[in-house]
Amino acid sequence: MHYIYLHGFASSPNSAKARDIGLRFAQIQTPLKIPDLNLGDFSHLTIKRQLKQVAAEFPLNAAPVTLIGSSLGGLTAAHLGQQYLQVQRLVLLAPAFGFLSHWLPNLGDEKLQRWQEEKYLEVYHYGEERSLPLHYEFVTDAHQYQEKNLQRPIPTLILHGKHDEVIPIQASRDFACLRPWVELIELDSDHALGNVTSEIWQAIRLFCQLP
C-alpha cells in the first residue's frame, strides 16, 4: 500500500497537519508522499491540476494507494478515488464538500463580480504567510466537481470537527448518510483540527491497519 497526503487550499506540505502526520508515518517507518499542490504557481491552481498532479504520483505497477486529504485536499482525494480504481482507501480530514457554496458567499457579490471581471483576487496563503493572486479559473473549474458524482463504494474515513467554521460538519454528515461505505468520526474541534492530532492518528492507524 502506498500513502499520499494532500494538503489543503492555500496551504503547503509544511502545514501543521502535514508535518504531524508525516512525522507519525516516519516513526512507524512507513513512506508517506506529501506533494506540494501549489506547484510554485498558486495563482493558477485548479482542482483539475491537483487531480493530474497527484495521479502522476501513483506507482506505475498499479499497487494500491491510500489517500489522506485535508480540506480541499480531501475533496481532491475523493474525486481521485472516484476516477482511479488504484485508490483503495480514503481518509478525509474536514473535506471541503460544497466548498464554493460556503466560501463564495463570504466574499460578497461586489468582490465576486470584481474577481470575475479582473480575473485575479488576492487570497491569503497560509503556507506563504502572505496574500497571492488567484485566477478566477479556480472557481470555473471547481464547479465541475460535485459530490453527487462520488458514488464509488471505496472504504472512506472522514474526521470532521463539530465546530468547523469553514466547512460545516453538516456537509460531511450529508455525504456519509447517503454512502454506507463511509465512516464519519465527529471531533470536538474546528477546521484546523489542531487540538485532536492524537485522536486523528489513532483513527488513521486503526482504519489503515498500520503497525
Side-chain angles (χ1 to χ4, degrees), residues 7-16 19 36-43 49 122-133:
H7 64 73
F9 175 72
S11 185
S12 78
N14 199 38
S15 71
R19 289 200 315 270
D36 184 351
L37 301 176
N38 299 290
L39 276 182
D41 183 18
F42 173 74
S43 294
R49 190 184 83 180
E122 290 290 318
V123 172
Y124 186 76
H125 193 289
Y126 295 91
E128 296 273 343
E129 298 184 335
R130 61 191 174 111
S131 290
L132 294 172

Side-chain angles (χ1 to χ4, degrees), residues 6 51 58 65 67 74-90 92 149-154 156:
L6 312 184
L51 293 170
F58 291 176
V65 173
L67 296 177
L75 181 65
T76 300
H79 283 281
L80 284 162
Q82 178 67 30
Q83 293 178 20
Y84 294 91
L85 295 179
Q86 197 170 354
V87 178
Q88 296 193 4
R89 250 187 331 231
L90 295 172
L92 311 179
N149 299 325
L150 299 173
Q151 298 298 335
R152 183 181 162 222
I154 175 172
T156 301

Side-chain angles (χ1 to χ4, degrees), residues 104-186:
L104 296 183
N106 292 334
L107 296 177
D109 292 340
E110 186 181 332
K111 196 171 185 180
L112 190 57
Q113 187 176 348
R114 198 162 68 245
W115 186 9
Q116 200 168 1
E117 291 168 355
E118 298 176 2
K119 299 304 178 194
Y120 287 94
L121 174 75
E122 290 290 318
V123 172
Y124 186 76
H125 193 289
Y126 295 91
E128 296 273 343
E129 298 184 335
R130 61 191 174 111
S131 290
L132 294 172
L134 179 63
H135 196 280
Y136 190 76
E137 186 189 357
F138 175 79
V139 175
T140 308
D141 174 76
H143 277 299
Q144 302 173 55
Y145 300 97
Q146 302 293 328
E147 283 79 72
K148 65 183 180 183
N149 299 325
L150 299 173
Q151 298 298 335
R152 183 181 162 222
I154 175 172
T156 301
L157 173 67
I158 298 178
L159 298 135
H160 206 130
K162 288 185 275 192
H163 315 294
D164 193 321
E165 72 291 2
V166 178
I167 305 294
I169 192 170
Q170 193 61 45
S172 283
R173 288 171 179 163
D174 292 344
F175 185 82
C177 78
L178 296 171
R179 296 165 178 83
W181 56 88
V182 175
E183 177 188 358
L184 170 62
I185 296 178
E186 302 190 6

